[in-house]
């Protein structure tokens, strides 16, 4: 009886050549840019690219529209991926507010809203009158308490309006964490330095929207240039909608605005 | 049920901001003001003798300074254990941010240390010169450094020393006051925390520092003398107890004034502070700090100061009341620092704090940090004898 011919028994040399070609070719694809220029993301904040970044002339604003947030948690996921945020710490989070007919307010934010609010709360027996979601992040204050208290100047407000942390200088004393009225900061468990939301400064400098803004499916998070009279944020702030900031009485003058914010929100 | 703008309903959900679940300033930051307070109080005792001429305090004047120095050396220890990046601690001196209250800490510490060290070296100069003459080799060099290379112990030189001592002790009062007032201000200056942000905070810290320092001196004096089976100068202890009574009345009054002000003003965050004191802090604040450790000492101090008490009973009463007051101040620091952080900035809930045993800021570390000053005190007592009077008596 004739034995079936094995695929290896034919031309071993040819087979090894093919495997080598495939391996080398595949590896090169990973290393070479392979036309990265074609994959470049188009400019999302107009007028950033192809002009010098004058630090003192920038004026950005972040607006959260409460009436649009659906609590999907996409922003939290995007943020966690963008910065590899360790579990249990939050650069941004989404709160869920419920209000019963006696005006009692119930708030929660399990895992900072990372998994999205897919199921209703079952622990409240009262009939709920109203519910809404409130995304939180760094308020990018014009008079930031964190900057004031940092003993070594590791936290600073850049002339372009961004409050940032120099992790190479931070001593990890956590005074800024105590001082932030919004609890937007945490101590990174690996670097042991203070961290917080930067409004994706690295993306903004490249004309890209912050990660959370770019993934928001309902446009609840908006970011833009106030120097541009046509930008959406300028239009909203000029418009008739109710605009406010969190904890105004703190006197920190946040550059994070809330549209349609409810009085229950702290 | 109250409406949403009412107090109780804020707490229904017990909502804590996700980043507030962790208590960032834990036991080491409780120890930091506790140690610096002991320094401050002990220095006040010495100043009463060297500046204000309270003669009855002579037996413990030198001891108070060495006690203060051994604790001052250790003030930085809990801070270093607390810092996320302790290796960068010198950044506070090299690149201080002038807007930060904390940035002044390193400089204030150094000024306080310099004044205290100089004061001690001038005070012991004559003794150190004698030791220098008695010793040889490295030991002689060591004493030579401590005496600034001057072995002039003529009457004029000693008279000048006395003037310098008085000046340094007088300078030490504002220095020690600013050093500990600054520690209180670190908390009082945090507007985001309603239980901290009160101008009373530095005042409360200062008076409680005096209470803890004087108590520490009394207790250590009595215990050391008992161990050495040496006589206890009761006139000295009586003066200390009278001083302690005065400072404690002030400290306790200000502590209660702060609570009363919150309660009476009923401002936005009042319900949160009230809920904190009556909730998570009920045992440590009302029962321990106020009940057992404040009303108890007030009764004992009243008995000791206002009635004729026999010397032996007076000494026992003094030791007991000093011990309780040392606890009182520790509870006060705990309730302010840990307690203040239990309250989330959401104004809707409280987190929990569970001390760990083996963490770098854990219970074992606390015990070690508290033991180090006593070891230092022992070592320093080999160089600077604590009880010059004892030798003269015998």
């Amino acid at each position: 009886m004739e034995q079936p011919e094995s695929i290896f028994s034919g031309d071993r040399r040819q087979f090894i050549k093919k495997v080598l070609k495939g391996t080398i070719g595949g590896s090169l694809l990973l290393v070479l840019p392979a036309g990265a220029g074609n994959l470049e993301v188009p400019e999302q904040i107009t007028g950033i690219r192809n002009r010098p970044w004058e630090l003192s002339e920038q004026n950005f604003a972040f607006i959260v529209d409460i009436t649009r947030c659906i609590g999907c948690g996409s922003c939290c996921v995007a943020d966690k991926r963008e910065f590899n945020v360790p579990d249990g710490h939050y650069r941004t989070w989404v709160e869920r507010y419920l209000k019963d007919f006696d005006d009692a307010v119930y708030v929660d934010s399990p895992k900072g809203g990372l998994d999205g609010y897919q199921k209703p709360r079952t622990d409240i027996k009262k009939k709920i009158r109203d519910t809404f979601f409130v995304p939180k992040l760094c308020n990018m204050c014009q008079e930031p308490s964190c900057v004031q208290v940092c003993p070594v100047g590791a936290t600073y407000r850049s002339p372009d309006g961004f409050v940032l942390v120099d992790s190479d200088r931070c001593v990890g004393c956590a005074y800024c964490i105590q001082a932030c009225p919004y609890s937007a900061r945490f101590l990174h468990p690996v670097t042991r330095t203070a961290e917080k939301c930067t409004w994706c400064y690295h993306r903004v400098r490249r004309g890209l929207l912050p990660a959370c803004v770019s993934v928001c499916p309902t446009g609840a998070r908006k970011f833009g240039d106030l120097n541009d009279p046509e930008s959406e944020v300028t239009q909203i702030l000029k418009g008739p909608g109710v605009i406010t900031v969190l904890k105004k009485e703190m006197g920190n003058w946040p550059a994070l605005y809330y549209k349609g914010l409810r009085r229950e929100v702290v | 049920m109250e409406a949403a703008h009412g107090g109780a309903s804020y707490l229904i959900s017990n909502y804590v901001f996700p980043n507030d679940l962790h208590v960032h300033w834990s036991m080491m930051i409780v120890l930091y003001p506790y140690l610096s307070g002991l320094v401050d109080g002990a220095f006040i005792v010495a100043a009463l003798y060297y500046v204000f001429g309270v003669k009855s305090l002579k037996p413990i004047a030198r001891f108070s300074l060495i006690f203060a120095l051994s604790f001052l050396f250790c003030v930085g220890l809990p801070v270093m254990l607390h810092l996320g990046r302790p290796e960068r601690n010198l950044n506070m001196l090299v690149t201080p941010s002038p807007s930060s209250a904390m940035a002044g800490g390193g400089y204030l510490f150094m000024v306080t240390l310099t004044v205290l060290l100089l004061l001690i070296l001038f005070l012991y100069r004559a003794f150190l010169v004698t030791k220098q003459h008695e010793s040889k080799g490295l030991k002689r060099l060591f004493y030579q450094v401590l005496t600034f290379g001057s072995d002039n112990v003529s009457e004029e030189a000693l008279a000048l020393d006395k003037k310098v001592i008085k000046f340094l002790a007088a300078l030490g009062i504002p220095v020690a006051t600013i050093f500990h007032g600054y520690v209180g201000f670190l908390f009082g200056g945090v507007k985001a925390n309603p239980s901290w942000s009160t101008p009373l905070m530095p005042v409360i810290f200062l008076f409680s520092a005096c209470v803890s320092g004087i108590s520490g001196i009394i207790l250590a004096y009595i215990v050391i003398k008992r161990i050495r089976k040496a006589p206890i100068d009761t006139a000295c202890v009586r003066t200390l107890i009278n001083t302690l009574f005065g400072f404690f009345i002030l400290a306790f009054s200000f502590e209660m004034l702060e609570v009363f002000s919150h309660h009476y003003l009923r401002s936005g965050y009042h319900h949160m502070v009230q809920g904190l004191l009556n909730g998570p802090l009920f045992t440590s604040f009302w029962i321990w700090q106020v009940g057992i450790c404040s009303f108890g000492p007030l009764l004992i101090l009243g008995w000791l100061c206002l009635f004729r008490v026999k010397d032996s009973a007076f000494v026992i009463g003094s030791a007991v009341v000093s011990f309780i007051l040392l606890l009182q101040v520790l509870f006060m620091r705990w309730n302010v620092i840990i307690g203040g952080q239990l309250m989330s900035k959401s104004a809707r809930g409280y987190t929990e704090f569970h001390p760990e045993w083996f963490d770098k800021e854990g219970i074992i570390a606390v015990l070690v940090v508290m033991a180090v000053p006593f070891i230092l005190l022992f070592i320093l007592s080999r160089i600077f004898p604590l009880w010059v009077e004892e030798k003269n008596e015998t």
Side-chain angles (χ1 to χ4, degrees):
Chain A
M1 192 180 160
E2 199 178 327
Q3 291 285 325
E5 196 180 337
S6 161
I7 54 163
F8 298 111
S9 60
D11 189 346
R12 283 171 193 273
R13 188 179 293 268
Q14 282 301 318
F15 175 75
I16 291 167
K17 269 187 181 176
K18 278 179 185 169
V19 169
L20 273 175
K21 273 183 190 170
T23 311
I24 294 167
S27 307
L28 278 175
L29 269 178
L30 290 173
V31 178
L32 296 174
N38 301 332
L39 296 171
E40 193 169 281
V41 183
E43 191 174 53
Q44 293 172 333
I45 310 167
T46 50
I48 300 269
R49 292 178 191 170
N50 306 320
R51 71 170 168 88
W53 181 271
E54 295 293 341
L55 278 173
S56 57
E57 287 171 18
Q58 307 302 325
N59 189 12
F60 291 100
F62 202 118
I63 299 175
V64 173
D65 188 343
I66 300 301
T67 60
R68 289 184 180 222
C69 182
I70 55 169
C72 66
S74 303
C75 47
C76 302
V77 174
D79 184 73
K80 197 171 172 68
R81 288 189 179 170
E82 186 76 21
F83 295 98
N84 199 15
V85 182
D87 288 344
H89 302 277
Y90 305 90
R91 283 171 167 250
T92 184
W93 68 96
V94 177
E95 296 167 353
R96 169 170 58 184
Y97 283 71
L98 285 90
K99 204 171 166 184
D100 68 16
F101 280 83
D102 293 321
D103 273 359
V105 183
Y106 308 83
V107 193
D108 69 342
S109 185
K111 289 174 77 180
L114 194 67
D115 296 337
Y117 294 93
Q118 300 173 36
K119 287 179 185 165
R121 277 181 77 161
T122 52
D123 55 327
I124 300 166
K125 304 298 170 209
K126 293 267 193 168
K127 208 172 171 188
I128 297 303
R129 187 179 80 189
D130 194 10
T131 180
F132 53 93
F133 301 98
V134 181
K136 295 273 183 80
L137 61 156
C138 176
N139 282 243
M140 227 49 95
C141 309
Q142 290 176 47
E143 286 189 28
S145 308
C146 53
V147 172
Q148 185 194 11
V149 302
C150 177
V152 295
T155 283
Y156 58 98
R157 186 170 185 269
S158 168
D160 48 10
F162 289 79
V163 178
L164 304 169
V165 186
D166 183 347
S167 59
D168 290 336
R169 302 198 69 81
C170 176
V171 292
C173 67
Y175 203 13
C176 56
I177 297 172
Q178 304 293 354
C180 175
Y182 307 101
S183 293
R185 288 173 164 256
F186 60 90
L187 205 70
H188 195 287
V190 178
T191 63
R192 291 172 284 129
T193 55
E195 274 220 10
K196 68 165 195 79
C197 157
T198 59
W199 284 9
C200 284
Y201 187 66
H202 63 296
R203 290 173 59 93
V204 174
R205 287 294 298 262
R206 290 169 177 81
L208 299 175
L209 287 167
C212 59
V213 176
S214 66
V215 299
C216 180
T218 60
R221 288 179 182 241
K222 298 183 190 305
F223 180 85
D225 188 355
L226 288 178
N227 286 336
D228 176 4
E230 302 305 316
S231 72
E232 193 180 5
V233 286
T234 310
Q235 296 298 324
I236 291 173
L237 290 185
K238 272 168 66 181
V242 178
I243 306 286
T244 187
V245 294
L246 292 173
K247 295 192 179 183
K248 192 182 170 201
E249 72 283 1
M250 284 289 160
N252 281 27
W253 302 101
L256 167 66
Y257 299 94
Y258 281 84
K259 187 178 176 191
L261 191 72
R262 308 280 295 261
R263 68 187 171 93
E264 293 82 6
V265 180
V266 176
Chain B
M1 187 175 290
E2 290 181 66
H5 53 269
S9 63
Y10 267 133
L11 305 176
I12 284 177
S13 51
N14 194 32
Y15 172 61
V16 175
F17 279 149
N19 288 328
D20 281 347
L21 283 165
H22 180 68
V23 170
H24 287 91
W25 281 1
S26 66
M27 290 190 292
M28 285 302 153
I29 301 299
V30 174
L31 279 195
Y32 169 56
Y34 192 59
L35 293 179
S36 72
L38 284 167
V39 175
D40 198 36
F43 190 86
I44 294 296
V45 174
L48 283 175
Y49 174 72
Y50 291 110
V51 184
F52 301 108
V54 182
K55 294 277 182 281
S56 55
L57 294 180
K58 194 179 179 189
I60 46 90
R62 288 185 177 211
F63 169 65
S64 304
L65 288 175
I66 307 298
F67 183 90
L69 185 66
S70 18
F71 277 86
L72 186 60
F73 273 136
C74 302
V75 162
L77 207 57
V79 180
M80 294 296 271
L81 281 165
H82 160 73
L83 286 184
R85 302 299 294 258
E87 75 278 14
R88 295 180 184 167
N89 75 87
L90 284 178
N91 282 8
M92 295 219 191
L93 296 173
V94 180
T95 58
S97 170
S99 65
S100 169
M102 194 184 270
Y107 293 105
L108 279 174
F109 169 78
M110 279 173 23
V111 171
T112 314
L113 185 62
T114 309
V115 171
L116 191 56
L117 258 179
L118 282 177
L119 182 55
I120 289 171
L121 291 177
F122 270 102
L123 201 61
Y124 279 90
R125 206 177 63 84
F127 169 78
L128 295 170
V129 167
T130 320
K131 291 295 276 185
Q132 181 193 334
H133 289 156
E134 284 172 6
S135 40
K136 283 177 187 169
L138 271 179
K139 211 172 167 187
R140 189 184 173 90
L141 185 70
F142 174 70
Y143 281 111
Q144 211 165 354
V145 171
L146 292 185
T147 54
F148 316 105
S150 158
D151 58 356
N152 182 359
V153 282
S154 64
E155 267 186 34
E156 295 89 60
L158 289 181
L160 182 66
D161 278 5
K162 243 184 177 175
K163 279 183 188 166
V164 173
I165 288 163
K166 193 161 186 178
F167 170 76
L168 285 171
L171 181 68
I173 297 172
V175 167
T177 306
I178 293 169
F179 182 53
H180 199 71
Y182 139 83
V183 176
F185 187 77
L186 281 184
F187 301 98
V190 178
K191 67 180 173 189
N193 190 324
S195 73
W196 288 354
S197 63
T198 157
L200 275 179
M201 200 53 84
V203 183
I204 292 173
F205 267 68
L206 263 177
F207 284 119
S208 62
C210 296
V211 168
S212 68
I214 300 170
S215 302
I217 292 291
I218 296 174
L219 188 63
Y221 175 69
I222 293 173
V223 169
I224 293 173
K225 289 285 180 183
R226 277 280 152 92
I227 291 171
R228 292 162 64 100
K229 295 200 171 79
I232 292 169
D233 189 322
T234 39
C236 172
V237 178
R238 280 179 194 273
T239 310
L240 283 172
I241 285 290
N242 283 336
T243 317
L244 180 62
F245 196 18
F247 274 113
F248 183 58
I249 288 171
L250 285 170
F252 186 58
S253 303
F254 279 113
E255 281 165 21
M256 290 298 99
L257 177 62
E258 200 225 324
V259 176
F260 177 75
S261 300
H262 268 301
H263 181 74
Y264 189 79
L265 291 170
R266 307 187 81 76
S267 55
Y269 285 102
H270 160 67
H271 299 96
M272 277 303 290
V273 178
Q274 187 186 36
L276 177 77
L277 295 179
N278 295 339
L281 291 188
F282 184 80
T283 309
S284 64
F285 183 75
W286 289 116
I287 294 183
W288 279 100
Q289 185 187 325
V290 177
I292 298 170
C293 296
S294 293
F295 282 111
L298 280 177
L299 289 175
I300 302 173
L301 284 168
W303 171 63
L304 292 175
C305 295
L306 306 174
F307 294 88
R308 281 189 178 184
V309 183
K310 274 199 299 184
D311 278 359
S312 54
F314 195 94
V315 169
I316 294 168
S318 304
V320 170
V321 81
S322 301
F323 177 74
I324 302 174
L325 282 177
L326 280 168
L327 270 185
Q328 195 270 359
V329 178
L330 191 59
F331 271 111
M332 177 262 174
R333 306 280 193 253
W334 176 283
N335 289 328
V336 168
I337 295 155
I338 307 270
Q341 292 172 86
L342 298 183
M343 196 165 62
S344 172
K345 290 168 195 162
S346 68
R348 278 200 163 87
Y350 306 100
T351 187
E352 290 173 349
F353 176 68
H354 302 287
E356 288 182 32
W357 280 97
F358 299 104
D359 188 65
K360 76 180 168 94
E361 295 189 67
I363 298 166
I364 301 288
V366 166
L367 295 174
V368 171
V369 169
M370 281 311 289
V372 174
F374 292 100
I375 298 167
L376 268 179
L377 181 64
F378 177 77
I379 295 169
L380 284 173
S381 72
R382 304 287 101 181
I383 305 164
F384 306 103
L386 306 174
W387 321 109
V388 180
E389 299 309 310
E390 230 172 70
K391 277 183 186 166
N392 297 346
E393 282 164 15
T394 50

